[in-house]
Amino acid sequence: MVTKKAPSAQTAVDVALAELVEGERRWAAIPLSGRRALLDQVRALTGRHAQRWVDAAAGIKGLAPSSPLIGEEWLSGPYVFAAGLGALSATLEVLERGESPLDKARFGRAGDRVTVDVLPTSPFDMLLLNGFSAEVWLRRGVSPAAAKANAGLAQREPSRTNGVGAVLGAGNITSIAPLDVLYELIAHNRVVALKLNPITDPLLPVLADILAPLVEVGAVRLLTGGAEVGGYLVEHNSVDHVHMTGSARTHDAIVWGTGATAAERKLAGTPKLTKPVTSELGGVSPTIVLPGQWSAADIAFQAEHVATQRLHNGGYNCVAAQAVIVAADWAQKDEFLAALRAALAQAPARHAYYPGSDDRVAQAAEAYPRAERLGPTGERLLITGITPSPAEPLLAEESFAPVLGVVELPGTGAEFTAAAATTANEAFAGTLGVNIIAAPATITELGSAFDELVENLRYGTVAINAWTGVGYLTPTAAWGAYPGHTIADVQSGIGVVHNAWLIDRVERTVVRGPFRPAPRALLHGEFALSPKPPWFVGNKTAANTGRLLAGFGADPGWLRLPAIFASALRG
C-alpha cells in the first residue's frame, strides 16, 4: 500500500494563488447584483454557523461554555461580521442603482473638516445603541460633493479588478481576518488569499463553511501555517498587495527583514518586500479622564468602563487601553483610582491564551517593581507614577497583556485638556485609538477647549464616553490608524478597513456614548436608553445578549428586539 504524501505548505500556496489568478477573471465578470447575492449568502451562513464559530473561539481562549465572557466572542465574532456583510450588501445595492452610498448621508463640520454621520443609520441602530453615535471625519479639503462622487471606491468599476491580495490574519479578535478579506475583495476589488494566524487555526472549518460562496467562485482561498508560509505567500510573484494585522515589529520583519541587514535596508530605503502593504498594527492606547464632579455611581461605572477597555479579551486587543491620563489636581482622583483598582481586581478570571502574555507581564513587573498585582492570581498589573515620555517603557510599546498604567498631569479645565492632548500625541506609541471620559457638565463648561481636544488628537478613532471598540463594531465606521504613516515609520499602520459605505480619504472616526447608563442617564438629563453595554467585562448577561445580537446581525427583524432588550436590561 502506497501512502499518498500530503502537499507541502508551499505547494498549497502555489495552488491557491494559481486558482485565485483564474478566479479573478470570474470575479471581474460578476455584476454588482451577483456580488450582493454572494454577500447575502455569506451573511446567512454566518447566522447558521455562528454557534460553531463561538465554540471554536471559546476553545482557543479557554472560556467555559457557561461564562458570561462568551458574550465577547459573539459580539466580536459573528455579530460584527454579519453586520458588516449587511452594510456592504446595502452599499452594493445603492451603487447598482447608479447612486452614491452617501446620497442620503448627513454631513456636518468639525473645525475645517467635513464629517459624515455613520451611526445611527437605521431605526434599529437608534433602538439597540440608543445614546451612541459616530461620525467619520474626512481629510482636509474633501467636500461633501467630492465625498459623494468618490464613495464606492473600486466597486464603482466592478469589472476592473486589481489582482490578488494576501491577508495575514490576526490571532486575537476572530472577526478581524474575515472582515479584512471583505475589505480587500470589495473596497479594493482584489481576490484574496487569507492566511490564518496559527492561534486561530481551529476556526478554519467554520470559516471555510461560512465563506464557501466566495471560495466557490474563486474569489477567496484559505491557508494555514506559520511564519514561513506567510513569508512565502507575501513574496510570491502572484501576489499584488499585502494587508496584515499584528504588531509594528512583525510588520517590519515582513517588510524590511530582521537583524543588521534589515537596519541597512531601512537606512537605504530599500525594503525586502517591494509590493504595496497596508496594515492595522495596534499601539499604546490612552484613556483621558477629564476632571469633574462625579457621583459614587459615576465613579464605579467609569472605573468598570476603563477596566473593560484594558481587560476585554484578556487585554489582547490592538486598541486596549494601556495607560490612563488623569489630572493630579482632580479632587476625586484618589477615589477614582481606588474604584479602578477594585474593578481590575474583581473582573472575571480568564486564561492567558495569547502566546507570551505571562512573559510580558513579568517584564513589566521587572521594569516597574512597585506595580500592584491584582486579579485572582495577581496576573493584572496596575502601575502608577508613569512619566509622560516616549522613553517610558510602558508608553513606548504595546504590551498586549493585562497591564495598565496611570499618568498624572497637573492642572484642571482647559489647561489639563491641552496637556492631555499633547501627552497622548507625543508620549504614546501608535495612533489607532484614544478614549475620552468626561461628564456632560464638564464638556459644556470646556466648550471650545473640548472641541480642540478632540480635533488635536492624532488618532484613527476617538471615543468620547465610549470605548474605541464601539468604532470597530460599527460597520459603516472606518477603522485604522491616523493617516500619514509610512512603511519606514509604520506605528499603528497604513490605510483603513470596515468602512462599509466605501468612503474615500478618511481621516478618523469619532464615537460618542452616554456618560451614564440608563436609567441613571435619563435622571441626569442625558437622553440615552442604553443600559450597561454588553461588552463590559462585568456584564452578567453578556453571553445571552451577544448570542441574540449575533442572530439579529445575520437576520435583522423587529420580532428579535424584545428578547435582546430583556437580556440587556438584566446585564
Short mmCIF file of all heavy atoms in Angstrom, two decimals, residues 482-533:
data_model
loop_
_atom_site.label_atom_id
_atom_site.label_comp_id
_atom_site.label_asym_id
_atom_site.label_seq_id
_atom_site.Cartn_x
_atom_site.Cartn_y
_atom_site.Cartn_z
N TYR A 482 -4.33 56.77 12.31
CA TYR A 482 -4.38 58.12 11.79
C TYR A 482 -3.52 58.19 10.53
O TYR A 482 -2.43 57.59 10.48
CB TYR A 482 -3.86 59.10 12.84
CG TYR A 482 -4.17 60.55 12.57
CD1 TYR A 482 -5.42 61.08 12.84
CD2 TYR A 482 -3.19 61.39 12.05
CE1 TYR A 482 -5.70 62.42 12.60
CE2 TYR A 482 -3.47 62.74 11.80
CZ TYR A 482 -4.73 63.24 12.08
OH TYR A 482 -5.01 64.57 11.83
N PRO A 483 -3.97 58.86 9.48
CA PRO A 483 -3.22 58.82 8.22
C PRO A 483 -1.87 59.51 8.31
O PRO A 483 -1.66 60.42 9.11
CB PRO A 483 -4.15 59.55 7.24
CG PRO A 483 -5.06 60.37 8.09
CD PRO A 483 -5.22 59.63 9.37
N GLY A 484 -0.96 59.06 7.45
CA GLY A 484 0.33 59.71 7.34
C GLY A 484 1.52 58.82 7.63
O GLY A 484 2.67 59.21 7.37
N HIS A 485 1.28 57.61 8.16
CA HIS A 485 2.40 56.72 8.44
C HIS A 485 2.96 56.12 7.15
O HIS A 485 2.26 56.03 6.13
CB HIS A 485 1.98 55.61 9.39
CG HIS A 485 1.43 56.11 10.70
ND1 HIS A 485 1.98 57.16 11.37
CD2 HIS A 485 0.36 55.70 11.44
CE1 HIS A 485 1.29 57.39 12.48
NE2 HIS A 485 0.30 56.52 12.54
N THR A 486 4.20 55.70 7.22
CA THR A 486 4.88 55.08 6.08
C THR A 486 5.44 53.73 6.52
O THR A 486 5.51 53.44 7.72
CB THR A 486 6.04 55.96 5.57
OG1 THR A 486 7.06 56.03 6.60
CG2 THR A 486 5.55 57.37 5.25
N ILE A 487 5.89 52.92 5.57
CA ILE A 487 6.46 51.63 5.95
C ILE A 487 7.73 51.81 6.77
O ILE A 487 8.11 50.92 7.54
CB ILE A 487 6.74 50.74 4.72
CG1 ILE A 487 7.69 51.42 3.73
CG2 ILE A 487 5.44 50.31 4.06
CD1 ILE A 487 8.19 50.48 2.64
N ALA A 488 8.40 52.96 6.65
CA ALA A 488 9.62 53.21 7.43
C ALA A 488 9.30 53.65 8.85
O ALA A 488 10.13 53.49 9.75
CB ALA A 488 10.47 54.26 6.75
N ASP A 489 8.11 54.19 9.08
CA ASP A 489 7.67 54.60 10.41
C ASP A 489 6.19 54.26 10.51
O ASP A 489 5.32 55.12 10.44
CB ASP A 489 7.90 56.10 10.61
CG ASP A 489 7.48 56.58 12.00
OD1 ASP A 489 7.43 55.74 12.93
OD2 ASP A 489 7.20 57.78 12.15
N VAL A 490 5.91 52.99 10.66
CA VAL A 490 4.55 52.49 10.43
C VAL A 490 3.62 52.72 11.61
O VAL A 490 2.40 52.81 11.45
CB VAL A 490 4.59 51.00 10.05
CG1 VAL A 490 4.91 50.10 11.25
CG2 VAL A 490 3.32 50.58 9.35
N GLN A 491 4.15 52.77 12.83
CA GLN A 491 3.35 52.99 14.04
C GLN A 491 2.12 52.06 14.06
O GLN A 491 2.26 50.86 14.15
CB GLN A 491 3.00 54.46 14.18
CG GLN A 491 4.23 55.33 14.37
CD GLN A 491 3.94 56.63 15.05
OE1 GLN A 491 3.14 56.71 15.98
NE2 GLN A 491 4.61 57.67 14.60
N SER A 492 0.91 52.61 13.93
CA SER A 492 -0.30 51.77 14.01
C SER A 492 -0.82 51.33 12.65
O SER A 492 -1.91 50.76 12.56
CB SER A 492 -1.42 52.52 14.76
OG SER A 492 -1.11 52.62 16.13
N GLY A 493 -0.05 51.58 11.60
CA GLY A 493 -0.44 51.03 10.31
C GLY A 493 -0.75 52.05 9.24
O GLY A 493 -0.67 53.26 9.45
N ILE A 494 -1.16 51.52 8.10
CA ILE A 494 -1.41 52.33 6.90
C ILE A 494 -2.76 51.87 6.31
O ILE A 494 -2.95 50.69 6.05
CB ILE A 494 -0.29 52.14 5.86
CG1 ILE A 494 1.06 52.59 6.44
CG2 ILE A 494 -0.61 52.89 4.57
CD1 ILE A 494 2.24 52.18 5.60
N GLY A 495 -3.65 52.83 6.08
CA GLY A 495 -4.94 52.51 5.46
C GLY A 495 -6.02 52.23 6.48
O GLY A 495 -5.78 52.22 7.69
N VAL A 496 -7.24 52.00 5.97
CA VAL A 496 -8.38 51.68 6.83
C VAL A 496 -9.07 50.43 6.32
O VAL A 496 -8.84 49.98 5.19
CB VAL A 496 -9.41 52.84 6.88
CG1 VAL A 496 -8.78 54.10 7.43
CG2 VAL A 496 -10.04 53.08 5.52
N VAL A 497 -9.93 49.87 7.18
CA VAL A 497 -10.78 48.74 6.83
C VAL A 497 -12.20 49.03 7.33
O VAL A 497 -12.48 50.13 7.79
CB VAL A 497 -10.24 47.42 7.43
CG1 VAL A 497 -8.94 47.01 6.74
CG2 VAL A 497 -10.01 47.55 8.93
N HIS A 498 -13.09 48.05 7.20
CA HIS A 498 -14.51 48.15 7.55
C HIS A 498 -15.18 49.15 6.61
O HIS A 498 -15.47 48.80 5.49
CB HIS A 498 -14.69 48.49 9.03
CG HIS A 498 -14.05 47.48 9.94
ND1 HIS A 498 -14.21 47.48 11.30
CD2 HIS A 498 -13.24 46.42 9.68
CE1 HIS A 498 -13.53 46.49 11.84
NE2 HIS A 498 -12.94 45.84 10.86
N ASN A 499 -15.49 50.38 7.05
CA ASN A 499 -15.84 51.47 6.12
C ASN A 499 -16.84 51.00 5.06
O ASN A 499 -16.62 51.13 3.86
CB ASN A 499 -14.55 51.97 5.45
CG ASN A 499 -14.75 53.20 4.59
OD1 ASN A 499 -15.67 53.98 4.80
ND2 ASN A 499 -13.89 53.37 3.58
N ALA A 500 -18.00 50.49 5.53
CA ALA A 500 -18.92 49.81 4.62
C ALA A 500 -19.57 50.72 3.59
O ALA A 500 -20.12 50.22 2.60
CB ALA A 500 -19.99 49.08 5.43
N TRP A 501 -19.55 52.03 3.81
CA TRP A 501 -20.03 52.94 2.77
C TRP A 501 -18.94 53.25 1.75
O TRP A 501 -19.16 54.05 0.83
CB TRP A 501 -20.56 54.23 3.38
CG TRP A 501 -21.91 54.06 4.02
CD1 TRP A 501 -22.76 52.99 3.88
CD2 TRP A 501 -22.59 54.99 4.87
NE1 TRP A 501 -23.91 53.19 4.61
CE2 TRP A 501 -23.84 54.41 5.22
CE3 TRP A 501 -22.26 56.24 5.38
CZ2 TRP A 501 -24.74 55.06 6.06
CZ3 TRP A 501 -23.18 56.89 6.21
CH2 TRP A 501 -24.40 56.30 6.54
N LEU A 502 -17.77 52.66 1.94
CA LEU A 502 -16.65 52.79 0.99
C LEU A 502 -16.32 54.26 0.74
O LEU A 502 -16.25 54.73 -0.39
CB LEU A 502 -16.97 52.06 -0.32
CG LEU A 502 -17.36 50.57 -0.17
CD1 LEU A 502 -17.68 49.97 -1.53
CD2 LEU A 502 -16.26 49.77 0.53
N ILE A 503 -16.10 54.98 1.85
CA ILE A 503 -15.80 56.41 1.79
C ILE A 503 -14.31 56.60 1.49
O ILE A 503 -13.46 55.95 2.08
CB ILE A 503 -16.16 57.10 3.12
CG1 ILE A 503 -17.64 56.84 3.47
CG2 ILE A 503 -15.89 58.59 3.06
CD1 ILE A 503 -18.03 57.31 4.86
N ASP A 504 -14.02 57.51 0.60
CA ASP A 504 -12.64 57.80 0.22
C ASP A 504 -12.05 58.89 1.11
O ASP A 504 -12.77 59.76 1.61
CB ASP A 504 -12.61 58.25 -1.25
CG ASP A 504 -11.21 58.32 -1.82
OD1 ASP A 504 -10.33 57.58 -1.34
OD2 ASP A 504 -10.98 59.11 -2.75
N ARG A 505 -10.73 58.82 1.32
CA ARG A 505 -9.96 59.86 2.02
C ARG A 505 -10.50 60.14 3.42
O ARG A 505 -10.84 61.27 3.78
CB ARG A 505 -9.89 61.14 1.19
CG ARG A 505 -9.24 60.97 -0.18
CD ARG A 505 -8.92 62.29 -0.82
NE ARG A 505 -7.90 63.00 -0.06
CZ ARG A 505 -7.69 64.33 -0.14
NH1 ARG A 505 -8.44 65.07 -0.93
NH2 ARG A 505 -6.74 64.89 0.59
N VAL A 506 -10.54 59.09 4.22
CA VAL A 506 -10.98 59.20 5.61
C VAL A 506 -9.81 59.64 6.49
O VAL A 506 -8.68 59.19 6.31
CB VAL A 506 -11.49 57.83 6.09
CG1 VAL A 506 -11.67 57.81 7.59
CG2 VAL A 506 -12.79 57.48 5.37
N GLU A 507 -10.10 60.52 7.44
CA GLU A 507 -9.08 60.89 8.42
C GLU A 507 -9.25 60.12 9.72
O GLU A 507 -8.30 59.56 10.26
CB GLU A 507 -9.12 62.38 8.73
CG GLU A 507 -8.02 62.79 9.71
CD GLU A 507 -8.16 64.20 10.22
OE1 GLU A 507 -8.99 64.44 11.13
OE2 GLU A 507 -7.44 65.07 9.72
N ARG A 508 -10.46 60.08 10.26
CA ARG A 508 -10.68 59.43 11.55
C ARG A 508 -12.16 59.12 11.73
O ARG A 508 -13.02 59.59 10.97
CB ARG A 508 -10.21 60.33 12.68
CG ARG A 508 -11.10 61.54 12.88
CD ARG A 508 -10.68 62.38 14.06
NE ARG A 508 -9.63 63.31 13.72
CZ ARG A 508 -9.04 64.13 14.60
NH1 ARG A 508 -9.41 64.10 15.86
NH2 ARG A 508 -8.11 64.98 14.21
N THR A 509 -12.44 58.34 12.77
CA THR A 509 -13.81 58.12 13.23
C THR A 509 -13.91 58.67 14.64
O THR A 509 -13.01 58.48 15.46
CB THR A 509 -14.14 56.61 13.25
OG1 THR A 509 -14.18 56.12 11.90
CG2 THR A 509 -15.48 56.35 13.91
N VAL A 510 -15.00 59.37 14.94
CA VAL A 510 -15.26 59.88 16.28
C VAL A 510 -16.56 59.23 16.78
O VAL A 510 -17.62 59.37 16.15
CB VAL A 510 -15.38 61.41 16.31
CG1 VAL A 510 -15.75 61.90 17.70
CG2 VAL A 510 -14.06 62.05 15.86
N VAL A 511 -16.45 58.53 17.90
CA VAL A 511 -17.58 57.82 18.50
C VAL A 511 -17.99 58.55 19.77
O VAL A 511 -17.13 59.03 20.52
CB VAL A 511 -17.18 56.37 18.85
CG1 VAL A 511 -18.31 55.64 19.57
CG2 VAL A 511 -16.77 55.61 17.61
N ARG A 512 -19.28 58.63 20.03
CA ARG A 512 -19.78 59.23 21.27
C ARG A 512 -20.78 58.28 21.93
O ARG A 512 -21.56 57.61 21.25
CB ARG A 512 -20.46 60.57 20.99
CG ARG A 512 -19.48 61.67 20.59
CD ARG A 512 -20.20 62.97 20.27
NE ARG A 512 -19.28 64.08 20.09
CZ ARG A 512 -18.62 64.35 18.97
NH1 ARG A 512 -18.82 63.59 17.90
NH2 ARG A 512 -17.78 65.38 18.90
N GLY A 513 -20.74 58.24 23.26
CA GLY A 513 -21.67 57.42 24.02
C GLY A 513 -22.16 58.17 25.24
O GLY A 513 -21.68 59.28 25.55
N PRO A 514 -23.10 57.59 25.97
CA PRO A 514 -23.61 58.25 27.17
C PRO A 514 -22.64 58.11 28.34
O PRO A 514 -21.99 57.08 28.50
CB PRO A 514 -24.92 57.51 27.44
CG PRO A 514 -24.72 56.16 26.85
CD PRO A 514 -23.81 56.34 25.66
N PHE A 515 -22.53 59.15 29.16
CA PHE A 515 -21.65 59.10 30.33
C PHE A 515 -22.19 58.14 31.38
O PHE A 515 -21.43 57.51 32.11
CB PHE A 515 -21.51 60.52 30.92
CG PHE A 515 -20.65 60.60 32.15
CD1 PHE A 515 -19.28 60.41 32.06
CD2 PHE A 515 -21.22 60.88 33.39
CE1 PHE A 515 -18.48 60.49 33.20
CE2 PHE A 515 -20.43 60.97 34.52
CZ PHE A 515 -19.06 60.77 34.43
N ARG A 516 -23.50 58.01 31.42
CA ARG A 516 -24.14 57.12 32.40
C ARG A 516 -25.05 56.14 31.67
O ARG A 516 -25.61 56.47 30.63
CB ARG A 516 -24.98 57.93 33.39
CG ARG A 516 -24.21 59.01 34.13
CD ARG A 516 -25.13 59.87 34.98
NE ARG A 516 -24.39 60.90 35.70
CZ ARG A 516 -24.18 62.14 35.25
NH1 ARG A 516 -24.67 62.50 34.06
NH2 ARG A 516 -23.50 63.01 35.96
N PRO A 517 -25.24 54.95 32.21
CA PRO A 517 -26.19 54.01 31.61
C PRO A 517 -27.61 54.36 32.02
O PRO A 517 -27.83 55.07 33.02
CB PRO A 517 -25.76 52.67 32.21
CG PRO A 517 -25.23 53.03 33.57
CD PRO A 517 -24.56 54.38 33.41
N ALA A 518 -28.58 53.87 31.26
CA ALA A 518 -29.98 54.03 31.65
C ALA A 518 -30.24 53.11 32.85
O ALA A 518 -29.66 52.03 32.95
CB ALA A 518 -30.89 53.67 30.49
N PRO A 519 -31.13 53.52 33.77
CA PRO A 519 -31.95 54.74 33.72
C PRO A 519 -31.28 55.97 34.32
O PRO A 519 -31.86 57.05 34.30
CB PRO A 519 -33.18 54.33 34.53
CG PRO A 519 -32.63 53.38 35.56
CD PRO A 519 -31.53 52.62 34.86
N ARG A 520 -30.05 55.82 34.89
CA ARG A 520 -29.43 56.99 35.53
C ARG A 520 -29.22 58.12 34.54
O ARG A 520 -29.28 59.31 34.90
CB ARG A 520 -28.10 56.61 36.18
CG ARG A 520 -28.24 55.89 37.50
CD ARG A 520 -26.96 55.92 38.32
NE ARG A 520 -25.80 55.45 37.59
CZ ARG A 520 -24.78 56.24 37.23
NH1 ARG A 520 -24.80 57.53 37.55
NH2 ARG A 520 -23.76 55.76 36.58
N ALA A 521 -28.92 57.77 33.27
CA ALA A 521 -28.70 58.82 32.28
C ALA A 521 -29.91 59.74 32.18
O ALA A 521 -29.77 60.98 32.17
CB ALA A 521 -28.39 58.19 30.92
N LEU A 522 -31.10 59.17 32.12
CA LEU A 522 -32.31 59.96 31.99
C LEU A 522 -32.53 60.85 33.22
O LEU A 522 -32.99 61.98 33.10
CB LEU A 522 -33.52 59.04 31.79
CG LEU A 522 -33.52 58.21 30.49
CD1 LEU A 522 -34.62 57.18 30.52
CD2 LEU A 522 -33.66 59.12 29.28
N LEU A 523 -32.17 60.33 34.38
CA LEU A 523 -32.36 61.10 35.61
C LEU A 523 -31.44 62.31 35.68
O LEU A 523 -31.69 63.26 36.42
CB LEU A 523 -32.12 60.20 36.83
CG LEU A 523 -33.08 59.01 36.99
CD1 LEU A 523 -32.66 58.14 38.15
CD2 LEU A 523 -34.52 59.52 37.19
N HIS A 524 -30.35 62.27 34.90
CA HIS A 524 -29.38 63.37 34.90
C HIS A 524 -29.45 64.19 33.61
O HIS A 524 -28.52 64.94 33.30
CB HIS A 524 -27.97 62.83 35.11
CG HIS A 524 -27.71 62.34 36.49
ND1 HIS A 524 -28.10 61.07 36.92
CD2 HIS A 524 -27.13 62.95 37.56
CE1 HIS A 524 -27.73 60.93 38.19
NE2 HIS A 524 -27.17 62.03 38.60
N GLY A 525 -30.51 64.04 32.84
CA GLY A 525 -30.70 64.89 31.68
C GLY A 525 -30.06 64.42 30.39
O GLY A 525 -30.05 65.14 29.40
N GLU A 526 -29.51 63.18 30.38
CA GLU A 526 -28.96 62.61 29.14
C GLU A 526 -30.04 61.75 28.49
O GLU A 526 -30.55 60.83 29.12
CB GLU A 526 -27.76 61.70 29.43
CG GLU A 526 -26.46 62.39 29.68
CD GLU A 526 -25.33 61.37 29.77
OE1 GLU A 526 -25.17 60.77 30.84
OE2 GLU A 526 -24.61 61.17 28.78
N PHE A 527 -30.39 62.05 27.25
CA PHE A 527 -31.40 61.22 26.58
C PHE A 527 -30.70 60.00 25.98
O PHE A 527 -30.24 60.01 24.84
CB PHE A 527 -32.15 62.00 25.51
CG PHE A 527 -33.30 61.22 24.95
CD1 PHE A 527 -34.46 61.07 25.69
CD2 PHE A 527 -33.22 60.60 23.72
CE1 PHE A 527 -35.53 60.33 25.20
CE2 PHE A 527 -34.27 59.85 23.21
CZ PHE A 527 -35.44 59.72 23.97
N ALA A 528 -30.57 58.96 26.79
CA ALA A 528 -29.92 57.72 26.37
C ALA A 528 -30.59 56.56 27.09
O ALA A 528 -30.71 56.57 28.31
CB ALA A 528 -28.43 57.76 26.70
N LEU A 529 -31.04 55.59 26.30
CA LEU A 529 -31.78 54.46 26.86
C LEU A 529 -30.93 53.20 27.00
O LEU A 529 -31.45 52.16 27.41
CB LEU A 529 -33.00 54.16 25.98
CG LEU A 529 -33.99 55.31 25.79
CD1 LEU A 529 -35.12 54.89 24.86
CD2 LEU A 529 -34.54 55.77 27.12
N SER A 530 -29.64 53.28 26.66
CA SER A 530 -28.80 52.08 26.70
C SER A 530 -28.41 51.74 28.14
O SER A 530 -27.91 52.60 28.87
CB SER A 530 -27.53 52.29 25.88
OG SER A 530 -27.84 52.42 24.51
N PRO A 531 -28.60 50.47 28.55
CA PRO A 531 -28.13 50.04 29.87
C PRO A 531 -26.63 49.77 29.82
O PRO A 531 -25.95 50.16 28.86
CB PRO A 531 -28.93 48.75 30.11
CG PRO A 531 -29.14 48.21 28.72
CD PRO A 531 -29.26 49.41 27.82
N LYS A 532 -26.11 49.11 30.86
CA LYS A 532 -24.69 48.75 30.84
C LYS A 532 -24.39 47.96 29.56
O LYS A 532 -25.06 46.97 29.26
CB LYS A 532 -24.33 47.88 32.05
CG LYS A 532 -22.87 47.43 32.04
CD LYS A 532 -22.58 46.39 33.11
CE LYS A 532 -22.55 47.01 34.48
NZ LYS A 532 -22.04 46.02 35.50
N PRO A 533 -23.41 48.39 28.77
CA PRO A 533 -23.14 47.74 27.48
C PRO A 533 -22.76 46.27 27.64
O PRO A 533 -22.11 45.89 28.62
CB PRO A 533 -21.97 48.54 26.92
CG PRO A 533 -22.07 49.88 27.56
CD PRO A 533 -22.57 49.60 28.96
#
